[in-house]
Amino acid sequence: MALGLIAKIRGERETIGLDVGHYSIKYVKVYHNHRGDKVVVDADLERVPEGAIVNGEIQGAPSDNGDMPLDGSEAPKEKDSYTLLSEALTKLLLRHPIDDSCDIVACVNCGAGAGGVLVDRLSVKIPKGGNEDAIILQTAQSRPPFDDQDNVIDYEIASRDNEDVKVNVVAAKNALLDSWAQFFKVKGIKLSAMDVDIFGLVNAYMATATEEDKNEPVAILNVGDKKMSIAFIQDGQFHSMRAMTGGSLDLVIAKLGTHLRIDADKCREIFEKGDLGVVDGFSEVEVEAALKLAYEDLMGQIEFGIRYFSTAEDSKQLNKILIGGGGAAIPGLKDYIAESTGIETDTINPFQYVACDSRVFGEGGLSIALSNIYAPALGLAMRKF
């Protein structure tokens, strides 16, 4: 139900987070009252057609001829990935119509390499009276991977110490942003902001963690369907992040398929139920052994991210690792990471700290698996404009 004029004057707002991932579109609506309290009032998800998004980019292109063939005949042509993704979002919006008064934040996938969103921390010297904006941008553009002419670059000052300034720099391909902006515009969705999935996850953590926890060095691991990224929080603020191409749910599914001869649907059943006994013909011990082979590959990527953080001149010893995304539900992964790194490891599970309307998830509440899948969308919707 749309908020009335008096509610808006009082400072009440509703914000919607849309996390369009490689596997599903997640939708979360948060109500903000005039005191700053937040309540989840709606949530849902819709499956993304296989191959519709690759490395954060929408495949295919919009067409004016709809689903009809170019020769004018009545036989429909095969729908391309762009059309199938558009239809998936339409299904979601038909179930949850968006009122014009809502602020909407959508996120793109933070993929490494071509088409990805790049994030790094730079140290820059700004002399007294110097043009801060120009110096920061020129410094960023002189270093790979920010030196690509087709990048849109933005930054945020992390700290200042006289002339020494530390800056978080974000760059995205023009074509990537344009394609997503056009996609949402065609769907009639007026965005208040566009963000990155890992930042949505970070915001979900920052909005629900205690002040004491936020000041401890924490790694937030987003294990998605096609890729993995890791962000670091230190001294109560975002420090840095890395995207990795070698770690994802796909890697785990591929390993299980090779060793247990099961398909992706059966793998996801293991993840969703947390039950190693659903695989016919194999004991739980054998399924666990196959999972650990996949975890070894994931750990190589996780350790790469942790080494990157540890080499920063201002980094501190990590206090905790938190897992989000679909990978948070993989049985045994949390314990494996904790044992391998010697660092306390848990899932983010932000919904346990946020009030939810009982009609959203029912009296039984939300499972830990779904809580972490919805977490980036929740983080986006926790923003208030």
Side-chain angles (χ1 to χ4, degrees):
M1 182 180 294
L3 294 176
L5 178 60
I6 294 177
K8 296 175 187 176
I9 293 173
R10 281 167 51 87
E12 300 175 35
R13 292 290 186 271
E14 289 182 325
T15 305
I16 291 171
L18 283 176
D19 173 19
V20 186
H22 288 95
Y23 185 73
S24 61
I25 305 171
K26 281 73 66 174
Y27 162 100
V28 173
K29 181 192 281 188
V30 170
Y31 163 74
H32 310 252
N33 69 19
H34 66 282
R35 296 184 300 273
D37 300 324
K38 302 174 180 67
V39 180
V40 176
V41 294
D42 202 5
D44 200 359
L45 57 79
E46 181 68 32
R47 175 73 186 274
V48 167
E50 181 69 27
I53 302 172
V54 176
N55 198 25
E57 291 187 290
I58 306 173
Q59 301 303 292
S63 173
D64 293 333
N65 67 318
D67 298 325
M68 300 304 295
L70 296 174
D71 61 8
S73 63
E74 295 184 0
K77 67 177 184 179
E78 183 178 353
K79 296 177 181 179
D80 63 17
S81 296
Y82 189 101
T83 301
L84 292 172
L85 179 63
S86 176
E87 290 180 349
L89 181 55
T90 296
K91 291 177 183 177
L92 186 61
L93 296 181
L94 285 174
R95 298 196 298 269
H96 307 275
I98 296 177
D99 180 74
D100 290 341
S101 65
C102 290
D103 289 305
I104 306 171
V105 186
C107 73
V108 298
N109 276 259
C110 184
V117 178
L118 310 166
V119 184
D120 207 348
R121 172 168 286 206
L122 304 178
S123 296
V124 183
K125 282 194 174 294
I126 310 292
K128 186 175 181 180
N131 187 327
E132 182 174 275
D133 185 69
I135 293 173
I136 291 172
L137 292 178
Q138 287 172 6
T139 302
Q141 290 168 342
S142 68
R143 302 183 185 183
F146 300 103
D147 54 349
D148 192 317
Q149 294 301 309
D150 191 40
N151 280 338
V152 176
I153 298 179
D154 199 1
Y155 67 87
E156 177 185 60
I157 303 294
S159 65
R160 299 177 188 274
D161 183 10
N162 296 321
E163 294 185 352
D164 295 320
V165 178
K166 295 189 185 303
V167 186
N168 294 319
V169 182
V170 181
K173 298 290 187 184
N174 266 308
L176 175 73
L177 294 180
D178 287 346
S179 65
W180 280 105
Q182 181 65 18
F183 176 75
F184 288 115
K185 181 178 179 181
V186 168
K187 301 303 296 181
I189 298 175
K190 185 177 180 181
L191 298 179
S192 298
M194 188 179 293
D195 213 327
V196 178
D197 56 353
I198 186 65
F199 291 157
L201 201 58
V202 167
N203 197 44
Y205 170 73
M206 296 295 285
T208 56
T210 65
E211 289 302 316
E212 181 180 357
D213 285 342
K214 283 189 287 189
N215 284 315
E216 296 290 342
V218 173
I220 296 179
L221 187 63
N222 185 22
V223 184
D225 201 59
K226 304 292 183 184
K227 50 82 187 175
M228 180 168 64
S229 50
I230 186 168
F232 300 95
I233 306 296
Q234 182 172 284
D235 299 326
Q237 62 181 352
F238 172 82
H239 179 277
S240 54
M241 67 81 60
R242 269 292 179 267
M244 289 85 82
T245 56
S248 65
L249 281 177
D250 261 8
L251 181 149
V252 179
I253 290 171
K255 285 285 186 180
L256 292 180
T258 299
H259 294 282
L260 304 178
R261 299 185 297 279
I262 56 176
D263 60 19
D265 289 339
K266 178 59 70 173
C267 292
R268 293 185 186 281
E269 184 181 352
I270 296 172
F271 305 156
E272 291 166 7
K273 294 182 177 179
D275 184 1
L276 304 185
V278 299
V279 183
D280 295 334
F282 291 91
S283 68
E284 292 189 18
V285 173
E286 289 171 318
V287 176
E288 183 179 17
L291 279 169
K292 285 186 176 180
L293 290 174
Y295 297 164
E296 290 176 6
D297 291 342
L298 286 180
M299 276 309 307
Q301 295 294 311
I302 295 169
E303 288 168 352
F304 168 79
I306 292 175
R307 282 198 303 272
Y308 156 76
F309 172 72
S310 65
T311 58
E313 60 183 25
D314 62 340
S315 69
K316 301 177 181 178
Q317 183 71 34
L318 279 177
N319 184 62
K320 186 180 292 186
I321 296 173
L322 295 172
I323 315 172
I330 305 177
L333 178 59
K334 179 178 69 173
D335 294 337
Y336 188 90
I337 293 174
E339 183 179 345
S340 299
T341 62
I343 302 171
E344 180 185 351
T345 304
D346 205 344
T347 58
I348 291 181
N349 195 14
F351 282 86
Q352 66 180 319
Y353 307 109
V354 180
C356 290
D357 189 310
S358 61
R359 293 169 294 182
V360 179
F361 301 116
E363 295 298 334
L366 191 65
S367 68
I368 293 177
L370 280 176
S371 173
N372 287 289
I373 288 171
Y374 276 118
L378 173 64
L380 301 174
M382 296 285 274
R383 294 176 58 170
K384 185 176 179 180
F385 296 87

